[in-house]
mmCIF file of all heavy atoms in Angstrom:
data_model
loop_
_atom_site.group_PDB
_atom_site.id
_atom_site.type_symbol
_atom_site.label_atom_id
_atom_site.label_comp_id
_atom_site.label_asym_id
_atom_site.label_seq_id
_atom_site.Cartn_x
_atom_site.Cartn_y
_atom_site.Cartn_z
ATOM 1 N N VAL A 14 -11.812 -9.304 70.247
ATOM 2 C CA VAL A 14 -11.724 -9.124 68.734
ATOM 3 C C VAL A 14 -12.364 -10.330 68.051
ATOM 4 O O VAL A 14 -11.974 -11.487 68.349
ATOM 5 C CB VAL A 14 -10.251 -9.005 68.326
ATOM 6 C CG1 VAL A 14 -10.093 -8.874 66.795
ATOM 7 C CG2 VAL A 14 -9.543 -7.793 68.994
ATOM 8 N N ALA A 15 -13.377 -10.064 67.309
ATOM 9 C CA ALA A 15 -14.114 -11.110 66.634
ATOM 10 C C ALA A 15 -14.102 -10.935 65.138
ATOM 11 O O ALA A 15 -14.527 -9.886 64.633
ATOM 12 C CB ALA A 15 -15.625 -11.107 67.143
ATOM 13 N N LEU A 16 -13.576 -11.921 64.417
ATOM 14 C CA LEU A 16 -13.492 -11.859 62.968
ATOM 15 C C LEU A 16 -14.632 -12.765 62.417
ATOM 16 O O LEU A 16 -14.709 -13.927 62.843
ATOM 17 C CB LEU A 16 -12.174 -12.285 62.454
ATOM 18 C CG LEU A 16 -11.972 -12.292 60.927
ATOM 19 C CD1 LEU A 16 -10.478 -12.049 60.621
ATOM 20 C CD2 LEU A 16 -12.461 -13.539 60.226
ATOM 21 N N ILE A 17 -15.406 -12.259 61.530
ATOM 22 C CA ILE A 17 -16.585 -12.956 60.964
ATOM 23 C C ILE A 17 -16.424 -13.016 59.462
ATOM 24 O O ILE A 17 -16.346 -11.858 58.828
ATOM 25 C CB ILE A 17 -17.922 -12.321 61.353
ATOM 26 C CG1 ILE A 17 -18.014 -12.238 62.885
ATOM 27 C CG2 ILE A 17 -19.067 -13.149 60.832
ATOM 28 C CD1 ILE A 17 -18.448 -10.878 63.395
ATOM 29 N N THR A 18 -16.354 -14.143 58.879
ATOM 30 C CA THR A 18 -16.231 -14.230 57.401
ATOM 31 C C THR A 18 -17.607 -14.111 56.765
ATOM 32 O O THR A 18 -18.641 -14.516 57.395
ATOM 33 C CB THR A 18 -15.549 -15.521 56.916
ATOM 34 O OG1 THR A 18 -16.462 -16.606 57.062
ATOM 35 C CG2 THR A 18 -14.231 -15.808 57.697
ATOM 36 N N GLY A 19 -17.660 -13.571 55.607
ATOM 37 C CA GLY A 19 -18.978 -13.419 54.870
ATOM 38 C C GLY A 19 -19.895 -12.428 55.661
ATOM 39 O O GLY A 19 -21.084 -12.617 55.659
ATOM 40 N N ALA A 20 -19.331 -11.446 56.298
ATOM 41 C CA ALA A 20 -20.060 -10.608 57.224
ATOM 42 C C ALA A 20 -20.543 -9.316 56.606
ATOM 43 O O ALA A 20 -21.068 -8.493 57.312
ATOM 44 C CB ALA A 20 -19.256 -10.305 58.524
ATOM 45 N N ALA A 21 -20.490 -9.218 55.301
ATOM 46 C CA ALA A 21 -20.950 -8.002 54.627
ATOM 47 C C ALA A 21 -22.440 -8.117 54.395
ATOM 48 O O ALA A 21 -23.116 -7.153 53.916
ATOM 49 C CB ALA A 21 -20.268 -7.771 53.332
ATOM 50 N N SER A 22 -23.024 -9.269 54.656
ATOM 51 C CA SER A 22 -24.449 -9.488 54.311
ATOM 52 C C SER A 22 -25.107 -10.481 55.315
ATOM 53 O O SER A 22 -24.337 -11.145 56.090
ATOM 54 C CB SER A 22 -24.517 -10.184 52.914
ATOM 55 O OG SER A 22 -25.800 -10.610 52.585
ATOM 56 N N GLY A 23 -26.398 -10.518 55.342
ATOM 57 C CA GLY A 23 -27.156 -11.515 55.985
ATOM 58 C C GLY A 23 -26.778 -11.823 57.429
ATOM 59 O O GLY A 23 -26.683 -10.960 58.325
ATOM 60 N N ILE A 24 -26.563 -13.122 57.710
ATOM 61 C CA ILE A 24 -26.331 -13.598 59.107
ATOM 62 C C ILE A 24 -25.034 -13.035 59.659
ATOM 63 O O ILE A 24 -25.012 -12.543 60.812
ATOM 64 C CB ILE A 24 -26.295 -15.201 59.065
ATOM 65 C CG1 ILE A 24 -27.667 -15.741 58.764
ATOM 66 C CG2 ILE A 24 -25.764 -15.690 60.363
ATOM 67 C CD1 ILE A 24 -27.686 -17.253 58.562
ATOM 68 N N GLY A 25 -24.006 -13.085 58.848
ATOM 69 C CA GLY A 25 -22.691 -12.590 59.354
ATOM 70 C C GLY A 25 -22.768 -11.157 59.729
ATOM 71 O O GLY A 25 -22.184 -10.752 60.734
ATOM 72 N N LYS A 26 -23.456 -10.369 58.919
ATOM 73 C CA LYS A 26 -23.520 -8.931 59.230
ATOM 74 C C LYS A 26 -24.279 -8.671 60.525
ATOM 75 O O LYS A 26 -23.811 -7.864 61.327
ATOM 76 C CB LYS A 26 -24.274 -8.232 58.034
ATOM 77 C CG LYS A 26 -24.286 -6.699 58.241
ATOM 78 C CD LYS A 26 -24.866 -6.062 56.983
ATOM 79 C CE LYS A 26 -25.012 -4.513 57.268
ATOM 80 N NZ LYS A 26 -25.693 -3.890 56.113
ATOM 81 N N GLU A 27 -25.355 -9.392 60.755
ATOM 82 C CA GLU A 27 -26.124 -9.318 62.049
ATOM 83 C C GLU A 27 -25.275 -9.677 63.220
ATOM 84 O O GLU A 27 -25.360 -8.989 64.257
ATOM 85 C CB GLU A 27 -27.394 -10.112 61.883
ATOM 86 C CG GLU A 27 -28.363 -9.905 63.059
ATOM 87 C CD GLU A 27 -29.007 -8.485 63.089
ATOM 88 O OE1 GLU A 27 -28.966 -7.863 62.079
ATOM 89 O OE2 GLU A 27 -29.564 -8.155 64.185
ATOM 90 N N ILE A 28 -24.482 -10.669 63.083
ATOM 91 C CA ILE A 28 -23.591 -11.099 64.184
ATOM 92 C C ILE A 28 -22.633 -9.957 64.467
ATOM 93 O O ILE A 28 -22.363 -9.619 65.619
ATOM 94 C CB ILE A 28 -22.793 -12.424 63.836
ATOM 95 C CG1 ILE A 28 -23.776 -13.569 63.696
ATOM 96 C CG2 ILE A 28 -21.768 -12.700 64.916
ATOM 97 C CD1 ILE A 28 -23.145 -14.873 63.195
ATOM 98 N N ALA A 29 -22.033 -9.398 63.384
ATOM 99 C CA ALA A 29 -21.079 -8.298 63.612
ATOM 100 C C ALA A 29 -21.772 -7.198 64.286
ATOM 101 O O ALA A 29 -21.169 -6.517 65.237
ATOM 102 C CB ALA A 29 -20.534 -7.873 62.215
ATOM 103 N N ILE A 30 -22.970 -6.781 63.836
ATOM 104 C CA ILE A 30 -23.657 -5.655 64.509
ATOM 105 C C ILE A 30 -23.930 -5.914 65.986
ATOM 106 O O ILE A 30 -23.723 -5.109 66.831
ATOM 107 C CB ILE A 30 -24.951 -5.374 63.775
ATOM 108 C CG1 ILE A 30 -24.694 -4.801 62.361
ATOM 109 C CG2 ILE A 30 -25.898 -4.453 64.526
ATOM 110 C CD1 ILE A 30 -25.883 -4.757 61.401
ATOM 111 N N LEU A 31 -24.433 -7.152 66.298
ATOM 112 C CA LEU A 31 -24.724 -7.459 67.729
ATOM 113 C C LEU A 31 -23.442 -7.506 68.543
ATOM 114 O O LEU A 31 -23.406 -6.903 69.647
ATOM 115 C CB LEU A 31 -25.449 -8.844 67.809
ATOM 116 C CG LEU A 31 -25.741 -9.315 69.227
ATOM 117 C CD1 LEU A 31 -26.715 -8.360 69.944
ATOM 118 C CD2 LEU A 31 -26.268 -10.700 69.269
ATOM 119 N N PHE A 32 -22.391 -8.144 68.037
ATOM 120 C CA PHE A 32 -21.109 -8.167 68.803
ATOM 121 C C PHE A 32 -20.588 -6.763 69.053
ATOM 122 O O PHE A 32 -20.137 -6.447 70.136
ATOM 123 C CB PHE A 32 -20.121 -9.046 68.082
ATOM 124 C CG PHE A 32 -20.223 -10.566 68.298
ATOM 125 C CD1 PHE A 32 -21.455 -11.143 68.357
ATOM 126 C CD2 PHE A 32 -19.124 -11.357 68.425
ATOM 127 C CE1 PHE A 32 -21.600 -12.505 68.557
ATOM 128 C CE2 PHE A 32 -19.235 -12.718 68.558
ATOM 129 C CZ PHE A 32 -20.486 -13.281 68.632
ATOM 130 N N ALA A 33 -20.658 -5.931 68.009
ATOM 131 C CA ALA A 33 -20.104 -4.545 68.181
ATOM 132 C C ALA A 33 -20.984 -3.800 69.183
ATOM 133 O O ALA A 33 -20.415 -3.022 69.977
ATOM 134 C CB ALA A 33 -20.100 -3.859 66.758
ATOM 135 N N ARG A 34 -22.223 -3.985 69.104
ATOM 136 C CA ARG A 34 -23.125 -3.276 70.061
ATOM 137 C C ARG A 34 -22.798 -3.654 71.524
ATOM 138 O O ARG A 34 -22.970 -2.929 72.428
ATOM 139 C CB ARG A 34 -24.583 -3.670 69.762
ATOM 140 C CG ARG A 34 -25.549 -2.607 69.986
ATOM 141 C CD ARG A 34 -26.955 -3.004 69.625
ATOM 142 N NE ARG A 34 -27.239 -2.851 68.208
ATOM 143 C CZ ARG A 34 -28.045 -3.670 67.524
ATOM 144 N NH1 ARG A 34 -28.615 -4.728 68.086
ATOM 145 N NH2 ARG A 34 -28.258 -3.473 66.252
#
Side-chain angles (χ1 to χ4, degrees):
V14 177
L16 181 152
I17 304 132
T18 73
S22 171
I24 292 172
K26 185 174 175 186
E27 187 69 16
I28 294 173
I30 291 169
L31 178 64
F32 277 37
R34 213 179 278 148

